[in-house]
Amino acid sequence: MTFFDFGEMIDSFTEFVFFGIPWDSLSTLEGADSSKAPQKIREITKNLALTTEMGIEIPNLRVVDVGDVRIDPLNTETNIKEISRFINSIFKQNKNAIPIMVGGDHFCTYPVIKTIEYLIDDKDNVGILIFDAHLDLYDNYDKGEYSHATVSHRIYDLDFISQNNLLIVGTRDIDIPELDIAKNEHISHLNAYLLHDIGVDSFAEKIIEFFKKTQINSVYVSIDIDVLDPSIAPGTGYAIPGGLSYRELWQIFRQLTKSISIIGFDLVEVYPNLDLANNVTSNLAAKLIIELISFISTTK
Ligand SMILES: [Mn+2]
């Protein structure tokens, strides 16, 4: 029994559907493997207590774990199709389900958002909020147009995405070509240092204001674990100093869910083989997921 499978199968009462994408082929790191993260993060929940920080009983949250998408490490196009088929089948069983994906490298986010684009009715009111140390805005990287370093650019290229509904938060490791793209296209990002300048409540307010000013009431959230400080999340590919604390991200989630509805989210870039022996990063990931589920559930 893990945190994510207290429901047996998807039915009309299911609120959240949890699944893994064990796909790590489009990372630029050698010798690090995020494909083991979905299973690791499930396992780690067996050691955690059964209430959230606010005292919500986790077994009462209506989450169903439907397993992992079947991945062919060598075939990007096949995987994109398979991910789409997998998500379509979730929505066929319950069209109001909130999908929760655990990667895999950050590229896994792209096929999820691309599929959701076709499944939501009211695209004009939906935005994308990415938590990441990086912009991931390269148009091409060494593996071509599909890479974990190009994922934000591919998302930006989707028809329903523009500079008005895409926000990247927690950035602090930006390359010159990416910064040029962000400037030329007017893509907004909130650097991590700003949080320390203005405090977490104002920082969360800035995120909410960004979406509210274009009448966006629903967002899909993508969390690259490297948005957090590597001192608390060492099991990731690029350990960039100056990241958010667990408490800061938790507080942002708490504030955000009071004003904006979250239609799906993912957590990517956990590399269990780079983690410490006590699995601190997977533990953090499991905790963030369950706390965010409970914030979404109690504000609906
Ligand atoms: Mn990143």
Side-chain angles (χ1 to χ4, degrees), residues 106 132-134 136 224 226:
H106 209 157
D132 201 325
H134 307 96
D136 294 343
D224 181 328
D226 74 21

Side-chain angles (χ1 to χ4, degrees), residues 21-69:
I21 304 184
W23 185 18
D24 187 27
S25 315
L26 297 169
S27 161
T28 49
L29 287 145
E30 297 298 330
D33 188 4
S34 64
S35 73
K36 302 288 188 295
Q39 209 42 45
K40 192 68 178 180
I41 290 168
R42 286 182 179 101
E43 280 166 20
I44 211 90
T45 64
K46 293 173 185 164
N47 306 326
L48 295 169
L50 287 174
T51 65
T52 67
E53 292 202 49
M54 308 291 281
I56 303 295
E57 294 182 25
I58 292 167
N60 292 339
L61 296 167
R62 299 197 296 265
V63 192
V64 176
D65 183 348
V66 291
D68 289 349
V69 180

Side-chain angles (χ1 to χ4, degrees), residues 15 68 76 168 248 299:
E15 252 188 293
D68 289 349
T76 301
I168 306 171
E248 287 162 345
T299 50

Side-chain angles (χ1 to χ4, degrees), residues 11-285:
D11 59 26
S12 57
F13 296 104
T14 304
E15 252 188 293
F16 302 91
V17 176
F18 180 97
F19 65 99
I21 304 184
W23 185 18
D24 187 27
S25 315
L26 297 169
S27 161
T28 49
L29 287 145
E30 297 298 330
D33 188 4
S34 64
S35 73
K36 302 288 188 295
Q39 209 42 45
K40 192 68 178 180
I41 290 168
R42 286 182 179 101
E43 280 166 20
I44 211 90
T45 64
K46 293 173 185 164
N47 306 326
L48 295 169
L50 287 174
T51 65
T52 67
E53 292 202 49
M54 308 291 281
I56 303 295
E57 294 182 25
I58 292 167
N60 292 339
L61 296 167
R62 299 197 296 265
V63 192
V64 176
D65 183 348
V66 291
D68 289 349
V69 180
R70 204 175 333 111
I71 290 300
D72 173 353
L74 301 175
N75 199 327
T76 301
E77 293 299 338
T78 306
N79 292 337
I80 290 174
K81 282 191 196 117
E82 183 60 21
I83 291 164
S84 174
R85 195 199 58 75
F86 195 93
I87 295 170
N88 269 287
S89 97
I90 292 171
F91 280 89
K92 259 190 205 126
Q93 294 168 78
N94 181 332
K95 67 174 175 43
N96 299 314
I98 297 175
I100 301 164
M101 181 274 279
V102 173
D105 70 57
H106 209 157
F107 188 76
C108 296
T109 301
Y110 170 69
V112 175
I113 293 177
K114 189 174 149 72
T115 306
I116 287 177
E117 179 186 5
Y118 290 98
L119 294 168
I120 49 178
D121 302 327
D122 201 4
K123 289 191 240 316
D124 290 347
N125 295 323
V126 173
I128 306 290
L129 171 58
I130 299 173
F131 290 95
D132 201 325
H134 307 96
L135 286 176
D136 294 343
L137 271 178
Y138 277 99
D139 194 11
N140 264 274
Y141 207 70
D142 63 349
K143 295 194 176 177
E145 59 170 338
Y146 290 160
S147 153
H148 74 160
T150 66
V151 65
S152 299
H153 202 119
R154 293 293 79 79
I155 292 167
Y156 179 67
D157 288 343
L158 292 169
D159 286 343
F160 80 116
I161 305 297
S162 73
Q163 58 279 82
N164 297 323
N165 64 352
L166 171 66
L167 178 64
I168 306 171
V169 171
T171 40
R172 56 194 194 279
D173 188 39
I174 300 172
D175 254 339
I176 294 165
E178 298 179 286
L179 192 58
D180 287 343
I181 291 170
K183 280 181 182 161
N184 292 338
E185 302 286 324
H186 307 287
I187 296 170
S188 299
H189 58 103
L190 299 177
N191 283 319
Y193 74 81
L194 185 66
L195 195 156
H196 287 264
D197 286 356
I198 66 175
V200 67
D201 289 344
S202 304
F203 192 80
E205 212 44 55
K206 273 199 178 298
I207 297 171
I208 294 163
E209 273 167 24
F210 173 84
F211 291 108
K212 291 283 180 185
K213 75 171 190 282
T214 47
Q215 276 81 49
I216 292 186
N217 297 312
S218 304
V219 295
Y220 177 93
V221 178
S222 179
I223 307 154
D224 181 328
I225 199 76
D226 74 21
V227 76
L228 293 154
D229 196 75
S231 60
I232 54 164
T236 193
Y238 297 96
I240 312 299
L244 276 59
S245 71
Y246 163 76
R247 183 62 62 212
E248 287 162 345
L249 190 54
W250 183 88
Q251 181 61 25
I252 292 169
F253 289 162
R254 189 180 172 194
Q255 233 168 293
L256 183 70
T257 47
K258 285 178 184 158
S259 351
I260 288 186
S261 70
I262 293 182
I263 59 159
F265 71 90
D266 65 57
L267 192 149
V268 295
E269 298 279 338
V270 172
Y271 291 76
N273 68 328
L274 300 178
D275 207 356
L276 302 185
N278 64 2
N279 301 305
V280 58
T281 312
S282 294
N283 204 55
L284 171 68

